[in-house]
Amino acid sequence: MSDMALRSLNLPGVGTKYEFETDKGDTVAIFFTKTGRIQMYTLQKDCKTPSAAEMTPVEARRLGNILTGAIIEADQESVEIAFSALADLRITIHTYFIPDSIAGKTIEELQIRAKTGATVIAVCRQEKNIINPPPSFVFETGDAALVIGESDQIKRFEREIMVA
Amino acid sequence: MESIVIALFVCLVLALISKYLSVPAIPFYILAGVLLGKTGLGLVASDEISTFFSEMGLIFLLFFMGLGLKPERIVSNQKAVMITGLIDLNVNMIIGFTAAYMLGFTFVESLIVASAFYISSTAMALTSLIENRKLMLKEADTIIWLMVFEDLILIIILALVSTGGQNLIVFAVKILAILGVLYALAHYGKEFLVSILDRDDELPIIFTFAAVLTTASVSILLEVPETMMVIALGVAFATTDADAFEQHARPFKDVFIVVFFVFFGATVDFSGGADWMMMAIICGLAIVSKLISGILTGIFIHGSAMSGLEIWVNTIARGEFSIALAVLYGTPLVGTTIAVLVIVTSIIGSFAAKYSKGLRRGLVSMGRRTGPPRRVHHAGR
């Protein structure tokens, strides 16, 4: 009988181990080591030597996003979240670096909401985050804008605003 | 003061090199001490400051060990841990002691050499498992718990050797009483401790340092070795927030332990004419005896001598605890012997651990070639 449950185990001096066996008999083990790095081992059924990958916490989180299905596009700057309870509402969040062409313009001038339907929910400027920028907000070159919307709206944003 | 600066600077360079080559740094630190100290260039000599730093290194090493010993963890999978631990203890202690005694060490010296000979380096074993990506092997669990078992034995060794003529029972009662008091403090003061540890200013780190130092000083008052006291403190503190204490004690440990290793190396003296033959025998036996205990463990726990090989390669290296024993109780000759033992076994161990896969594969294919052919037939079915 295979034990389907996820086992977690504290290993003195090493860290925490999570292990589970899949339906088909493969084993996956994750170790959060005290070095701060995360090691993932996979062992195919009837195979003796596992293969391993070592990740930084950031890389591990990225892998986690992929496995939970949050990232649909391979592009790491975009995350799509599906809310299955809300009639499969799929929301995309995308980061864009502001090009020279729209620097100096405000959100209002660019008519982002009217033209695309997408919303700029945050801007990162020189390590500082501006959450919910007002319509009078003036973009500068090098700003990173976080845009939220349905994937069509995001595509329109890319076409109408970024390229224009 | 210059000694410490020179020592630290050299170690910084050595640490970089050892990280680059991904081999353990401990043998390099000791070698640096040997080369810079008495035997070598004479650039580094211990003074008041370095002695204090070295003591701190030892104290923080043991405090750290105590933090890792969560008593409730040891209760689980008892039987396998006990079997593994006892095989390892008996095989290596007996071989180590017999060898040392026959090579002319006194009874007490032989006990110290045997203990240093027995105890593998926890730091190097765990690092090797992580670095060589062996955590998922079934042998890894065995090795990890073996290290915990060895730590417990070390505490018993420290207790036995450091009674220093006191009545054993009085001594044991004292230690247990202290552990009880520390436990009670940690238990009833848990909220206070956690509230201090949770702060993000300098308080947690000051508190950790002060607690360890205070405990070490109080030990003189109570006539109990400070080594036992700081381990007890670690064990008691581990019941509150072990990770936080580890995090705050780590910077002290990391710096002081390097000084400890270098100045241990610096005191090593080959001028009296080192008995190279004797040291070669000890080192050779140290590697062979872990092979024997490893293979026995492999057969008894995992039903395979191959597993024993994997256990062997990761436990060859002797390190921090062997040196601690040498510094605490060793005569100069014992110290020199243990220094050589640590340098040789840790270097050989790190390479063996790195290339164990190839070693295993080589042995398997060799076994196939020379082994009886019927096995192949069975495998085919």
Side-chain angles (χ1 to χ4, degrees):
Chain A
M1 268 298 288
S2 66
D3 180 10
M4 281 290 298
L6 179 74
R7 287 185 296 271
S8 96
L9 195 67
N10 234 316
L11 296 172
V14 172
T16 315
K17 168 188 185 177
Y18 296 90
E19 188 182 59
F20 76 100
E21 208 180 290
T22 64
D23 251 351
K24 302 216 161 149
D26 301 333
T27 312
V28 179
I30 314 273
F31 294 81
F32 286 81
T33 69
K34 293 213 165 160
T35 59
R37 284 162 294 174
I38 293 125
Q39 292 191 345
M40 184 176 79
Y41 294 75
T42 52
L43 181 64
Q44 205 180 322
K45 191 187 175 186
D46 297 329
C47 187
K48 272 193 181 138
T49 36
S51 53
E54 190 170 88
M55 291 169 280
T56 63
V58 175
E59 289 161 344
R61 237 170 286 140
R62 189 170 296 162
L63 175 69
N65 279 338
I66 295 168
L67 291 177
T68 55
I71 295 184
I72 304 294
E73 299 171 49
D75 187 349
Q76 52 158 305
E77 290 174 323
S78 173
V79 177
E80 187 170 293
I81 308 167
F83 296 92
S84 47
L86 301 175
D88 263 337
L89 172 63
R90 298 176 98 82
I91 290 287
T92 303
I93 303 171
H94 207 300
T95 56
Y96 292 100
F97 287 98
I98 298 301
D100 289 332
S101 59
I102 58 173
K105 291 185 181 156
T106 66
I107 292 179
E108 203 171 11
E109 276 173 315
L110 289 165
Q111 291 181 291
I112 292 176
R113 181 87 50 93
K115 276 189 185 165
T116 70
T119 309
V120 178
I121 52 159
V123 176
C124 178
R125 176 176 293 169
Q126 292 162 354
E127 305 298 312
K128 259 189 237 151
N129 291 326
I130 302 139
I131 309 295
N132 249 331
S136 58
F137 182 85
V138 184
F139 285 115
E140 284 176 16
T141 313
D143 284 355
L146 199 64
V147 184
I148 188 167
E150 284 185 294
S151 65
D152 282 352
Q153 296 172 330
I154 296 293
K155 272 184 200 137
R156 231 174 288 146
F157 178 87
E158 220 158 285
R159 262 197 331 262
E160 307 271 326
I161 308 294
M162 294 300 284
V163 182
Chain B
M1 194 68 199
E2 298 84 29
S3 280
I4 276 212
V5 177
I6 295 171
L8 281 176
F9 185 76
V10 170
C11 286
L12 202 62
V13 176
L14 289 174
L16 267 173
I17 296 173
S18 88
K19 296 281 181 277
Y20 180 74
L21 299 173
S22 67
V23 289
I26 295 177
F28 287 96
Y29 295 150
I30 302 168
L31 269 176
V34 173
L35 294 178
L36 294 171
K38 256 190 216 170
T39 316
L41 303 168
L43 281 173
V44 166
S46 53
D47 51 28
E48 251 176 60
I49 302 171
S50 69
T51 312
F52 175 75
F53 272 37
S54 297
E55 272 174 28
M56 291 290 101
L58 180 59
I59 284 172
F60 272 94
L61 173 72
L62 294 173
F63 173 66
F64 231 72
M65 186 190 96
L67 279 177
L69 288 180
K70 294 207 183 119
E72 74 272 11
R73 284 184 187 168
I74 299 154
V75 184
S76 61
N77 59 4
Q78 244 172 359
K79 204 180 149 210
V81 177
M82 279 301 271
I83 296 174
T84 311
L86 288 176
I87 292 174
D88 179 58
L89 174 67
N90 282 305
V91 170
N92 293 293
M93 272 289 188
I94 290 170
I95 295 180
F97 182 83
T98 313
Y101 198 67
M102 283 177 48
L103 287 166
F105 285 99
T106 65
F107 183 80
V108 179
E109 282 177 337
S110 301
L111 275 181
I112 300 301
V113 171
S115 306
F117 183 98
Y118 153 68
I119 194 153
S120 299
S121 165
T122 304
M124 286 189 254
L126 299 186
T127 310
S128 132
L129 288 177
I130 296 175
E131 293 286 320
N132 296 313
R133 300 181 185 182
K134 290 181 177 171
L135 288 175
M136 201 191 175
L137 301 181
K138 57 184 188 296
E139 295 88 1
D141 278 20
T142 310
I143 294 164
I144 292 167
W145 287 105
L146 177 59
M147 294 301 116
V148 175
F149 187 92
E150 285 191 354
D151 289 354
L152 290 174
I153 297 294
L154 175 71
I155 297 177
I156 296 172
I157 294 172
L158 287 177
L160 289 179
V161 185
S162 58
T163 49
Q166 293 184 53
N167 187 326
L168 254 182
I169 297 167
V170 175
F171 186 78
V173 169
K174 254 192 211 171
I175 295 278
L176 286 176
I178 291 166
L179 195 58
V181 169
L182 288 172
Y183 243 96
L185 278 176
H187 185 77
Y188 293 106
K190 189 170 179 174
E191 271 176 34
F192 172 72
L193 284 175
V194 170
S195 76
I196 286 194
L197 290 173
D198 277 348
R199 299 174 66 103
D200 46 14
D201 50 16
E202 66 274 32
L203 236 80
I205 201 162
I206 296 177
F207 176 79
T208 309
F209 190 66
V212 174
L213 238 65
T214 313
T215 311
S217 337
V218 169
S219 68
I220 299 162
L221 225 73
L222 298 172
E223 293 180 339
V224 175
E226 51 191 18
T227 50
M228 300 300 293
M229 286 282 283
V230 289
I231 296 173
L233 181 76
V235 172
F237 274 2
T239 58
T240 59
D241 187 349
D243 288 340
F245 274 116
E246 271 187 24
Q247 185 201 330
H248 298 306
R250 173 157 287 145
F252 298 118
K253 189 202 79 173
D254 285 353
V255 173
F256 293 142
I257 201 73
V258 171
V259 179
F260 174 74
F261 287 139
V262 177
F263 282 88
F264 167 68
T267 56
V268 168
D269 193 357
F270 290 121
S271 59
D275 188 347
W276 294 111
M277 194 59 200
M278 179 269 283
M279 291 186 194
I281 294 175
I282 296 259
C283 293
L285 281 176
I287 291 164
V288 173
S289 88
K290 283 281 171 183
L291 174 65
I292 298 172
S293 64
I295 286 187
L296 285 176
T297 309
I299 292 170
F300 277 104
I301 302 292
H302 302 294
S304 138
M306 264 322 161
S307 288
L309 274 184
E310 193 59 59
I311 297 169
W312 172 57
V313 295
N314 289 289
T315 51
I316 294 173
R318 318 303 203 272
E320 63 279 17
F321 297 127
S322 302
I323 296 168
L325 285 163
V327 169
L328 285 168
Y329 310 112
T331 54
L333 179 62
V334 170
T336 306
T337 310
I338 295 178
V340 174
L341 173 75
V342 168
I343 293 171
V344 171
T345 56
S346 58
I347 290 174
I348 291 181
S350 84
F351 282 104
K354 210 180 259 182
Y355 299 113
S356 71
K357 256 185 212 153
L359 184 74
R360 279 171 82 158
R361 218 173 288 142
L363 280 173
V364 169
S365 66
M366 224 166 68
R368 284 217 188 105
R369 242 177 280 136
T370 55
R374 60 191 161 81
R375 278 200 165 256
V376 181
H377 282 285
H378 278 287
R381 261 179 232 168

